[in-house]
Structure formats: C-alpha cells, structure tokens
C-alpha cells in the first residue's frame, strides 16, 4: 500500500459545512491527526486510529503525520476551518523542508470553510469588498509586526478579519489593537464580533469601535472590522461593492 | 407559504467542494437566480425554475430575487466561490437598502469555498500567514484606490490574493499591478497563477515577479503573491507561520 497525507479543513464547526471531498478522505483514512477538539469531531470506526495532540505541537504533529504517511498509512491531518489559513498546512510544509526523502510523498490539501467566511455570512457581507486577514496572536510574530500591519491595513481602507483575537494568556494585545484601530479609523467604524460560528453557541454582535470592549472577544471569536463604507441594513452589516 | 432568500456559494467549480447545506438549500428551492455559468451548474428538476442572467446585472438580479422571495418563493441566489467575497451577497444587501418593507424577509447567506482557498490548497499554503485579498477589477473603484492598496499591502508584508486579475476589456491594469509589485517587493518575490481551480482545466504555476507576465492570467485566474518569507519546498509553495 502506498501512503498519502491529506491536510483537510473541517470548516468552522457545523457538519453541514464539511465538503464532500473532506468527508470522503476521512472515510478512506487509516489515521487522523490533529488538535484534540478537532480530532474529537471525527466519528470512530474500525480500522481508523485517532491521534489527538495538544495545541502548541504543530510541527511535531506534522512530522508524526508525514512519518506515518511515509510508512504507508493514509493519513488525514485535520484543521478547523481551512487548513491553509493559520492552520496545519504551513506546519506540514515546514516539516517537509528538512526531509527531502519525503518530497515524493503524495500530499493533498483540501480546503474548508474558514471562520471568517462563516462569520461574514452570519453577519451579512462585511467582506464584500477588499479585505485583509490578520492573526492577532503574537506567539509567532512580534507585536510591532501586528501594529504595522494594522496601520497599513487601515490606511488601505481594507475591511479586516482577525483570527485569535484574544487569549487568557495575553489579553492585552487585543485592547492595544482596538486602540490602534480607533486611532486610525475613528470611533464610528463598525466592528463585528462572531463567536462559535455555525455551532449552537453562535453569537453575532456588531457595534461601533467606540462601543467595542476587549472582553467582547475570546479564543472562539472571529472579529471583523468594517471599511469606511461598511454599513448596516436591517439586522445585517455589509461592505458595498464600490470603494467608499 | 413563506418566502425566503438564500445566497449560496457553489465553491470554485468542483461539486466535491459544495457544502451539504448548500446542496440541501438547492434541493428545497423553487427558484435559482444567478450569473449564466453558475446557474448552468444546477441540475434541472420539476418544480425548480432557473433564472440565469448576465454578468453586469448584479443589482437587478438581486432585486428580482428579493421580489420573488417577497412573493413567497424559496429563492437561492448562487455565486461561484463564496457569496460574500466579491460576489452576490453585497449586491443583495444593497438592493435591500431601498426597500424597508423587505427587511423582515428571511435571508440567509451560506458560505462556500472561495477561489483563493482552493488555489492556495492546490499550490501548497501561500496564505498560511497574514494576507489580503484585492479585487483587481476597476469596474467599481478607481485605479488609484487599487494602487494605494497594493503599496500598503506590500509595506505590511501581506501575502496577496488577487481576484479578477485581468480581462480582455482592461488588460493593462494587471501589467501596471505587476509593475508596482516588482517595485515594492523586488524581482525575486514568488507569485502563483492558479487557473480554473478544482476543474479539469486546473493549471498552477509559481514563478518570480521577474518572470511574471500579464498574459499568465485571465478572468479564470486567481493570483497569489507571496510575502517576503514565502518559499518553495518540493513542488509546493508556502508561507511559514512565523513573520519573515
């Protein structure tokens, strides 16, 4: 048997957003690898081994998955959302760099509904015009890089989607980000907090930057800042197609 | 019967990337509305009326769909990719602005795999770090806005996904964009041309900005520029998780 590695996106939470190609890949897998809560979404069955691992072990997890694929297993590495957006795909390619002997392995990335698309859909269409997507975690980059990106994004008048806005271990970063955004975009700019999108816990709230508080976000939140033209219509928020 | 409007994303082309909730919505629809080639993807069946329309008729199409929903139909407006990314969702909310009597209508947006996610997956993980997403069509915004955004995005060191890079009617815009990017990012920066992703015509090519030519893109292309750390591994291209 020839091994293969598939890096698959499970979407933001609802099984109704898992693509058929991801479902089919999981049905053929011998091994599923991923962060504990994502692997918990996979139904056990005979012939399938589940390998849940901790959050900060991305590179080790990627190496273990490649090792199994090289040994002939059909391995699926699962990510929430899309595997290519702040998720496992980059970690797998990083792990691959050190091992030219693995470069011939069959590897496929299967896209998924990333959190910002599901959050935007639940709120209306706040990403309907040019936008950017920033991971606010400073685990893998210095705060100065985040600040520079926020300021350029504001001056480009991008809508902005923020992943990992706020964790218990570094609650001050998001407060600082909100301060920069208020400074650059003004107090009236709309900002949408989307929590646990597509799950029974989903909660969507749109406020102005003046009303926004850091506590409105946690690690299950995706935050979308509007551009200068973003507005409300009825219960919805959207970015018009024309530049503001 | 109570009408409803669903704005659904069909993904980039392959039926294997259509989410189950979109498939279910189409199965319950009485009317499907959209641009001709997207409506052509919907299988006809008794009880379903298809309403294909031309490309530049977004706002008229949105109004017609809302009108039908207000009259009690179960209408699905289809977009390629994700309806919230340079697609029909914003047009529907624009159409809704003038008609407060429609604000009580049941409206839902169902996300889809947008082209940049499928293109990134086919190429590796070029969107694995902070990125932006720019529609290069100047139909709805002046060229100066595009240029400003490109320069800020380059200085923020974002990877960049470009939608609608080049059309027959305005071939010069993409050549100008490449010039700006070469100026800001240097000749060695990697750029990926992804054409007709997820279809039998899919073609992926990664070159440097020095090698990039405007003719490498057309209206079926999605183009992804790397950030300063983006690199190749084997046949893949990816953005490392750490800032460059």
């Amino acid at each position: 048997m020839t091994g293969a590695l598939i890096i698959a996106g499970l979407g933001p939470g609802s099984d109704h957003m898992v693509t058929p190609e991801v479902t089919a890949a999981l049905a053929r897998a011998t091994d599923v690898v991923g962060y504990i809560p994502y692997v918990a979404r996979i139904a056990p069955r005979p012939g399938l081994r589940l390998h849940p691992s901790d959050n900060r072990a991305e590179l080790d997890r990627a190496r273990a998955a490649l090792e199994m694929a090289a040994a002939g297993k059909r391995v699926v590495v699962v990510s929430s959302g899309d595997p290519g957006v702040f998720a496992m795909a980059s970690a797998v390619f990083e792990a691959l760099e050190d091992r030219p002997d693995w470069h011939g392995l069959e590897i496929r990335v299967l896209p998924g509904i990333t959190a910002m698309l599901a959050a935007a859909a639940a709120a209306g269409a706040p990403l309907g015009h040019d936008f950017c997507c920033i991971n606010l975690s400073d685990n893998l980059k210095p705060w100065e890089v985040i600040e520079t990106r926020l300021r350029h994004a504001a001056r480009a008048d991008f809508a902005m989607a923020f992943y990992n806005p706020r964790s218990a271990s570094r609650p001050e970063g998001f407060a600082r980000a909100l301060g920069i955004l208020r400074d650059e975009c003004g107090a009236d700019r709309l900002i949408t907090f989307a929590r646990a999108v597509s799950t029974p816990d989903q909660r969507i709230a749109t406020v102005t930057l003046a009303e926004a508080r850091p506590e409105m976000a946690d690690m299950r939140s995706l935050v979308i800042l509007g551009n200068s033209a973003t507005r409300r219509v009825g219960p919805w928020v959207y970015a018009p197609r024309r530049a503001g």
Side-chain angles (χ1 to χ4, degrees), chain A:
Chain A
M1 190 177 72
T2 316
L5 183 71
I6 289 177
I7 313 157
L10 297 178
S14 163
D15 287 342
H16 303 298
M17 291 187 192
V18 181
T19 66
E21 67 177 9
V22 168
T23 301
L26 289 167
R28 286 189 304 262
T30 59
D31 295 82
V32 170
V33 173
Y35 177 39
I36 297 160
Y38 308 151
V39 173
R41 289 179 55 190
I42 311 304
R45 60 172 166 77
L48 175 66
R49 285 188 61 195
L50 301 177
H51 306 265
S53 55
D54 193 67
N55 200 3
R56 278 153 300 183
E58 282 92 354
L59 212 53
D60 291 341
R61 182 192 301 149
R63 286 192 191 107
L66 285 159
E67 195 90 61
M68 285 191 275
K73 304 288 190 182
R74 292 190 303 276
V75 184
V76 177
V77 175
V78 290
S79 279
S80 177
D82 180 88
V85 177
F86 312 132
M88 280 301 294
S90 282
V92 169
F93 293 115
E94 274 179 59
L96 208 58
E97 285 217 32
D98 307 328
R99 293 291 298 262
D101 53 319
W102 286 346
H103 288 194
L105 271 177
E106 184 190 333
I107 299 179
R108 286 177 64 205
V109 184
L110 304 184
I113 302 292
T114 185
M116 70 176 165
L117 299 186
L127 303 179
H129 194 81
D130 299 337
F131 64 93
C132 68
C133 179
I134 300 177
N135 186 344
L136 287 184
S137 165
D138 58 1
N139 284 344
L140 293 165
K141 64 191 166 204
W143 170 257
E144 294 66 39
V145 170
I146 297 175
E147 172 158 356
T148 300
R149 288 182 181 160
L150 292 174
R151 293 199 187 274
H152 277 296
R155 291 166 197 180
D157 200 15
F158 283 131
M160 306 181 205
F162 300 122
Y163 283 69
N164 304 316
R166 190 165 175 267
S167 71
S169 62
R170 27 166 206 86
E172 71 293 348
F174 186 54
R176 278 204 254 174
L178 287 177
I180 291 166
L181 296 171
R182 246 179 244 121
D183 177 38
E184 294 280 349
C185 307
D188 295 335
R189 184 66 58 91
L190 294 176
I191 185 168
T192 299
F193 293 83
R195 188 169 184 279
V197 272
S198 89
T199 78
D201 302 330
Q202 175 175 307
R203 221 170 48 215
I204 309 288
T206 298
V207 299
T208 64
L209 274 178
E211 296 160 335
R213 296 283 163 271
E215 312 78 60
M216 291 176 180
D218 64 19
M219 282 309 272
R220 294 188 74 192
S221 301
L222 188 293
V223 177
I224 299 178
L225 183 78
N227 68 17
S228 62
T230 298
R231 53 211 211 225
R232 298 175 191 263
V233 52
W236 306 98
V237 60
Y238 82 101
R241 296 165 305 145
R242 290 178 188 279

